[in-house]
Amino acid sequence: MNELLHSLDWVLPLRSEALTPVMRFFTLLGYEKFILFFLPLGYWAWHRGVFLRLLVLVAMTALINAWLKDYWQDPRPDIALRMDHEVGDSFGLPSGHAQIAMVIWFWLAFELRRAWAWAVSGVVVTGIIFSRLYLGAHDVEDVLGGSLLGIATLLVFAQVRQWSWWREAHGLWHLALILLVFLAAWLTWPGVAPSYVPLLAGLMVGVLFGYRQMDFSVEVAVWRRLLAAAIGAVSFILLQKALKLAGTAWPLDPQLWQGLRGLVMGLFVAAAMPWTLVRLGLLKSVDKPKVEALTGAAGLTAGCAKFGIGGGD
């Protein structure tokens, strides 16, 4: 059993010049660069409620993953087998790629409630998980542990959404609970907490505040949505470059800077960019009481109708 969970000898014969680029593509889908790009685009151009819930899910599962990595300190496979060197000196169990892939793609399938969505999600998740083995970044135990934790996160979140106290609570209570979780993780961290803990906390504050302040609708022509996504994507890239320059120019405490950086990113995603896209006429302003996005979906029907896609509550 130990050999099955930790040996990658069976992977080596599968490597080829044709398959390696495919595996690198799948593994890219699990990295922070893609996720922090994909979620805002979905928020602006698809369904803000769904992608708010997804962002909270990803933040929570990423926090759990990082805490457990530093707690267990399980080494990755031998560096001689590794084709992905972006992992640095981080630990292996549980696999963040496997855990976050389960959360992102299967939650989207759950929201869509369509057979094709489950099929596509299954292919993407399988590709991401296998890519980590193929590239020598994780062993079977790592991806199995990450997958099970991802499934557990989904089940817990789906259950919490059904609790009446959670559904009826004011949004500020949701924010307070999320920040309490981050604080507890920070205080109990095995060793030194990484900088992305305050980054994620700041991001959550900014997004949840912006969600309550700036309402909008994507019930517009497809070309308007696509243009909104394109403008948002370019603006987000420019924001990242500006924040990188600011971080170099301002000698702030690294942890404080990461928290501020996350806050700015969250406000940009949920408030500043939607406001700009509404003013440009690419999205529609909505003047109505806001639905608490963390408690239940208003349905994806309106959000997907322009694409000819049905949705579920």
Side-chain angles (χ1 to χ4, degrees), residues 43 47-53 56 171 174 203-216 266-272 274 286 288-298:
Y43 188 89
H47 194 290
R48 63 193 290 267
V50 169
F51 278 83
L52 174 67
R53 292 191 289 278
V56 172
H174 295 154
L203 185 67
M204 287 294 94
V205 172
V207 167
L208 291 173
F209 177 81
Y211 177 85
R212 296 182 61 80
Q213 298 302 314
M214 183 63 205
D215 200 355
F216 63 91
L267 291 173
F268 175 86
V269 169
V286 176
K288 63 181 182 179
K290 295 178 177 61
V291 178
E292 299 295 345
L294 296 184
T295 61

Side-chain angles (χ1 to χ4, degrees), residues 164 252 307:
S164 59
L252 297 178
F307 291 118

Side-chain angles (χ1 to χ4, degrees), residues 7-245:
S7 174
L8 292 181
D9 291 343
W10 60 276
V11 172
L12 301 181
L14 301 177
R15 291 177 173 175
S16 68
E17 292 185 4
L19 189 56
T20 297
V22 177
M23 293 296 101
R24 291 194 184 279
F25 168 76
F26 274 114
T27 216
L28 176 64
L29 301 183
Y31 269 118
E32 174 186 341
K33 294 177 182 178
F34 171 79
I35 295 170
L36 287 181
F37 200 71
F38 173 68
L39 296 183
L41 291 183
Y43 188 89
W44 299 325
W46 186 1
H47 194 290
R48 63 193 290 267
V50 169
F51 278 83
L52 174 67
R53 292 191 289 278
L54 192 55
L55 196 150
V56 172
L57 261 172
V58 169
M60 291 295 104
T61 202
L63 184 69
I64 294 170
N65 179 269
W67 195 96
L68 289 174
K69 265 185 165 68
D70 283 357
Y71 179 76
W72 284 326
Q73 298 189 9
D74 183 68
R76 291 179 183 268
D78 193 310
I79 194 171
L81 303 177
R82 199 173 303 167
M83 300 176 69
D84 179 3
H85 298 288
E86 292 191 34
V87 298
D89 57 357
S90 62
F91 298 109
L93 178 68
S95 165
H97 272 70
Q99 191 170 334
I100 295 175
M102 285 282 183
V103 166
I104 291 180
W105 298 101
F106 285 140
W107 185 262
L108 284 177
F110 174 78
E111 295 271 14
L112 285 168
R113 309 290 177 89
R114 292 292 183 268
W116 65 263
W118 286 105
V120 170
S121 297
V123 171
V124 173
V125 170
T126 300
I128 291 174
I129 291 175
F130 181 69
S131 74
R132 305 311 288 158
L133 300 171
Y134 181 94
L135 297 175
H138 287 288
D139 55 30
V140 174
E141 181 184 58
D142 296 344
V143 298
L144 182 60
S147 299
L148 292 176
L149 284 168
I151 293 172
T153 304
L154 289 175
L155 293 176
V156 170
F157 191 76
Q159 184 62 42
V160 168
R161 282 181 58 198
Q162 305 305 316
W163 294 352
S164 59
W165 68 267
W166 176 260
R167 296 177 63 88
E168 297 167 3
H170 191 277
L172 291 178
W173 285 108
H174 295 154
L175 176 60
L177 181 58
I178 289 172
L179 290 180
L180 183 62
V181 170
F182 275 94
L183 179 61
W186 179 271
L187 295 176
T188 63
W189 205 275
V192 179
S195 61
Y196 52 78
V197 175
L199 173 70
L200 290 174
L203 185 67
M204 287 294 94
V205 172
V207 167
L208 291 173
F209 177 81
Y211 177 85
R212 296 182 61 80
Q213 298 302 314
M214 183 63 205
D215 200 355
F216 63 91
S217 170
V218 297
E219 294 183 36
V220 296
V222 174
W223 72 267
R224 291 181 184 273
R225 282 209 235 178
L226 295 177
L227 184 56
I231 292 175
V234 173
S235 301
F236 194 68
I237 292 173
L238 293 176
L239 175 68
Q240 296 304 312
K241 292 183 179 296
L243 288 173
K244 185 176 181 179
L245 291 174

